[in-house]
Amino acid sequence: MSSNDTKKRKNNYIWDLISIEGLPHLPPEHPARVTVRAGSLAVALAVVPSLVPLITSKHARKRFKPSELLKREFGVHGFPFALLLVFGGGAWVEWVWNKTEAKRKEEAGGTENVKKSKRRTAISTFLVSLWAIYRLRKHRNPIESIADIPLTLPVDSLSSRTSPSLDLTIIFCVRALDAVFQRAIREGCSSKSCSSDQERINAKKHAKLREHLDVLLFTLASSRIMWCFLYQSFRLPRSYVKWISALAEIDNRLILALQAVRAGTWKYGEESPAARHILTNYAAELGYPAAWGDPAKLPPLSGPAADKIWQELGVWSRPGRGGLPCELVHGDVMTSSCTVNAVTRWIRAFMKAFLIYLPVHTIPTLLVNPMRLLNDPFSFLTAISRSAAFLATFVGTIFSTICLSRTVLGPKLFPNLPHQTIDGPLGGVALGCITCCLSLYIERGKRRGEIALYVLPRAVRTLFKESWLRSGSLSVELVEKIAFATSCATLVTFAKYDPESLRGLSRWGLGFVLEGWDSFRRRREEGKTIDRTGSKGSLHGSEFSDLGSYVQGSELP
């Protein structure tokens, strides 16, 4: 036997040992193996992202030692321990319960009931999850940019008084509700007695309905996030606000001016001492007269009166229209053309988004299907470009819609409407926050759902009253504990008895924890079978190869 064959057999042996968690005598669903997989996944999600700032930032290494990180994460109040309780502990409780129930039925001569099995799964997970969330709520807050709990954004000083597990609870709630809705949609589009052709028609109907609902959810969530970003940024994590500002390249003084318009301290054609300075210095820095940023000198209405004011100020880009000069809205693009501004911002955002999505697509593909990079590099680059185009169009559309509403639609359709209203929170800005979300149609249908599920928890978080969340009252604690435990019970029950209702991160993560690597192999084989037969399962057949293009992290609007 050659040395290459020996090495290959050794590698295969190591891989087989890993894939069975070192417990070959136990089935994949045994609680011991579930506990090992849950622990390994929890450590990967908690420790690895927390180590990145320590590796990349010298300042973080001075402030935060690796020993402190390990002590925090591996303690009884850490995320890995909580995940072990939810999945491993729940599996053990259910296993003992099932053994007791099986013995009782054997003595009584009864048969197993699926509904009772589901009930045992849900109750076991619910009870253990209550203990897990109790521990997790005592999790110490992180330092600087180190994430508090995986899948959530770093905690800033403004939200440090809220529960450290609040964002994770909202994420689990959204995922659990999505599973319920997916099942309802699938049952509504299916028929118990129909031919194979009708099944394919129903599957396509289900896919189309789900994709449009995903875009609707994304629109509701992202429009709320963008509105909060412009008017109530305190409702969003500071890192999220900083990232959106960097991608969109919006000067903070423009945002302050929008907030002043909403508060009524900025009024066109009137003296506004509290807000006068916001854009005067901004205009001077761009090389324009400071008077262009003075609300008292700007025309409040469209029409001939506005042209006289513009002639005095030397503004030629807004004939017959009032409001703020286009040059200041366009910022460092340094143009009076709204079209040039939108195209320029699209190109800038595309270049940034391409660099963001490159590792997001590449790293999972290298882990799952590395030969794809060599066999079909064109489709790989196309997928990255498509994702970058989605994000760039999101940015370009919000600017173009705002410009269109304040330059064309508003003055033409409502000539007597003051620009105080057009530039207000319910005018062009609100329209831009909504229309930019339609850019999600650029993405493939399956990815639309994951992107919608990513931004939805952030939007839900902004709907709660901050004073209530920070009060630390008993009502906040009870609501979070019940929501967390109910969501975990729902997700685990769906993962065991109806995995088709789960998708994306929920499907892959829970499939790995509860079934192990066998779930990946089975879905890959299902994908190959579906590609040959074209049956209704094609909705999920290519999920394994699409894992490389699944979006994670905070790089979404």
Side-chain angles (χ1 to χ4, degrees):
M1 182 180 295
S2 65
S3 59
N4 290 335
D5 292 338
T6 304
K7 186 177 180 180
K8 186 176 181 180
R9 289 185 61 184
K10 184 178 180 181
N11 291 337
N12 290 336
Y13 172 76
I14 294 174
W15 172 251
D16 290 339
L17 189 64
I18 293 175
S19 64
I20 59 177
E21 293 85 37
L23 301 169
H25 58 287
L26 298 176
E29 66 275 8
H30 193 277
R33 293 182 63 176
V34 172
T35 303
V36 173
R37 291 192 296 265
S40 61
L41 181 63
V43 170
L45 289 175
V47 178
V48 175
S50 297
L51 286 174
V52 171
L54 300 181
I55 297 173
T56 58
S57 174
K58 185 177 180 181
H59 181 64
R61 288 194 295 271
K62 293 180 179 179
R63 295 285 305 276
F64 201 41
K65 297 179 180 179
S67 58
E68 296 177 4
L69 167 67
L70 297 176
K71 183 179 179 180
R72 179 173 68 95
E73 294 299 340
F74 288 105
V76 294
H77 303 307
F79 177 78
F81 185 75
L83 209 62
L84 276 176
L85 285 178
V86 173
F87 298 112
W92 279 110
V93 171
E94 184 184 1
W95 183 77
V96 173
W97 194 350
N98 287 338
K99 289 289 184 181
T100 305
E101 191 69 17
K103 186 176 180 180
R104 186 188 66 81
K105 287 186 178 295
E106 184 180 350
E107 295 174 352
T111 57
E112 182 64 20
N113 190 305
V114 177
K115 288 186 177 180
K116 290 184 178 179
S117 298
K118 291 181 180 180
R119 193 179 299 121
R120 286 196 295 270
T121 301
I123 294 175
S124 301
T125 308
F126 180 86
L127 294 177
V128 176
S129 297
L130 286 176
W131 188 22
I133 189 63
Y134 170 76
R135 292 290 185 183
L136 201 57
R137 281 178 59 87
K138 296 181 179 296
H139 192 273
R140 287 186 296 166
N141 286 336
I143 296 178
E144 294 182 342
S145 61
I146 297 178
D148 189 358
I149 294 174
L151 308 180
T152 66
L153 293 170
V155 174
D156 55 45
S157 58
L158 293 178
S159 60
S160 59
R161 292 183 60 187
T162 61
S163 169
S165 57
L166 177 63
D167 289 341
L168 187 67
T169 301
I170 296 175
I171 289 174
F172 280 14
C173 286
V174 168
R175 294 280 174 170
L177 288 174
D178 178 68
V180 175
F181 288 140
Q182 292 304 314
R183 180 175 182 177
I185 294 171
R186 194 175 70 251
E187 291 180 349
C189 295
S190 62
S191 177
K192 293 183 179 179
S193 58
C194 60
S195 62
S196 58
D197 292 337
Q198 186 61 39
E199 284 186 0
R200 283 193 290 270
I201 294 174
N202 290 338
K204 291 180 180 179
K205 188 188 300 183
H206 171 217
K208 285 293 182 183
L209 178 60
R210 185 175 66 176
E211 290 172 11
H212 291 308
L213 287 177
D214 288 337
V215 175
L216 176 61
L217 282 177
F218 179 79
T219 301
L220 294 174
S222 292
S223 58
R224 170 64 179 174
I225 289 173
M226 292 305 299
W227 193 90
C228 288
F229 166 73
L230 295 172
Y231 294 108
Q232 295 180 342
S233 58
F234 64 88
R235 293 185 178 273
L236 298 172
R238 188 179 302 172
S239 58
Y240 208 52
V241 173
K242 184 179 179 180
W243 185 87
I244 296 175
S245 301
L247 183 68
E249 297 184 355
I250 303 177
D251 192 284
N252 189 57
R253 286 167 291 189
L254 282 176
I255 297 177
L256 291 176
L258 289 175
Q259 294 172 356
V261 171
R262 178 172 179 263
T265 56
W266 171 295
K267 293 184 178 181
Y268 291 117
E270 298 182 15
E271 290 292 339
S272 305
R276 180 179 180 274
H277 66 284
I278 294 177
L279 293 183
T280 51
N281 293 335
Y282 174 65
E285 288 182 12
L286 293 175
Y288 303 117
W292 287 18
D294 188 350
K297 299 180 179 179
L298 300 178
L301 294 169
S302 300
D307 290 336
K308 295 180 180 179
I309 297 176
W310 292 136
Q311 189 174 4
E312 295 176 358
L313 295 176
V315 176
W316 312 108
S317 59
R318 296 185 62 79
R321 300 169 181 84
L324 193 69
C326 293
E327 289 84 349
L328 298 189
V329 176
H330 302 162
D332 62 354
V333 178
M334 302 300 293
T335 180
S336 61
S337 171
C338 297
T339 303
V340 172
N341 174 62
V343 172
T344 302
R345 291 187 181 276
W346 189 96
I347 294 174
R348 289 180 179 179
F350 180 86
M351 295 173 66
K352 291 182 178 180
F354 191 91
L355 294 178
I356 289 172
Y357 280 109
L358 183 61
V360 169
H361 284 255
T362 304
I363 295 175
T365 303
L366 289 173
L367 296 175
V368 175
N369 188 15
M371 292 305 297
R372 181 189 175 198
L373 296 176
L374 298 177
N375 296 335
D376 196 3
F378 179 76
S379 64
F380 178 73
L381 292 175
T382 301
I384 300 176
S385 300
R386 192 170 184 173
S387 297
F390 146 66
L391 210 52
T393 304
F394 187 98
V395 174
T397 303
I398 191 170
F399 274 99
S400 59
T401 303
I402 291 175
C403 288
L404 184 67
S405 63
R406 67 189 304 273
T407 304
V408 179
L409 297 180
K412 292 291 184 181
L413 298 178
F414 310 99
N416 296 324
L417 188 67
H419 270 271
Q420 192 74 23
T421 303
I422 295 175
D423 292 343
L426 299 179
V429 175
L431 185 62
C433 291
I434 295 173
T435 55
C436 68
C437 301
L438 299 178
S439 61
L440 187 62
Y441 277 112
I442 295 176
E443 276 287 10
R444 290 183 297 107
K446 212 180 304 178
R447 285 176 54 78
R448 296 173 194 168
E450 269 310 309
I451 295 174
L453 289 176
Y454 176 83
V455 299
L456 189 56
R458 275 79 181 168
V460 172
R461 173 67 170 77
T462 66
L463 299 177
F464 293 102
K465 194 173 182 180
E466 287 295 320
S467 59
W468 179 66
L469 292 177
R470 299 178 191 175
S471 64
S473 63
L474 182 61
S475 61
V476 178
E477 183 177 351
L478 288 176
V479 169
E480 183 184 358
K481 287 181 178 179
I482 294 174
F484 181 85
T486 304
S487 301
C488 290
T490 303
L491 289 171
V492 172
T493 305
F494 270 106
K496 291 189 68 173
Y497 299 99
D498 188 15
E500 293 297 315
S501 296
L502 299 175
R503 51 180 177 164
L505 184 61
S506 307
R507 184 180 176 91
W508 288 101
L510 290 172
F512 169 73
V513 170
L514 299 179
E515 301 179 40
W517 298 98
D518 291 342
S519 64
F520 294 161
R521 297 191 187 100
R522 188 183 69 252
R523 283 168 190 152
R524 173 178 280 181
E525 292 302 321
E526 287 177 358
K528 292 178 180 178
T529 304
I530 288 161
D531 289 339
R532 291 193 297 267
T533 62
S535 65
K536 70 175 182 177
S538 59
L539 291 174
H540 305 287
S542 60
E543 279 184 351
F544 194 87
S545 61
D546 288 338
L547 181 62
S549 58
Y550 176 74
V551 178
Q552 285 288 345
S554 60
E555 59 277 348
L556 290 177

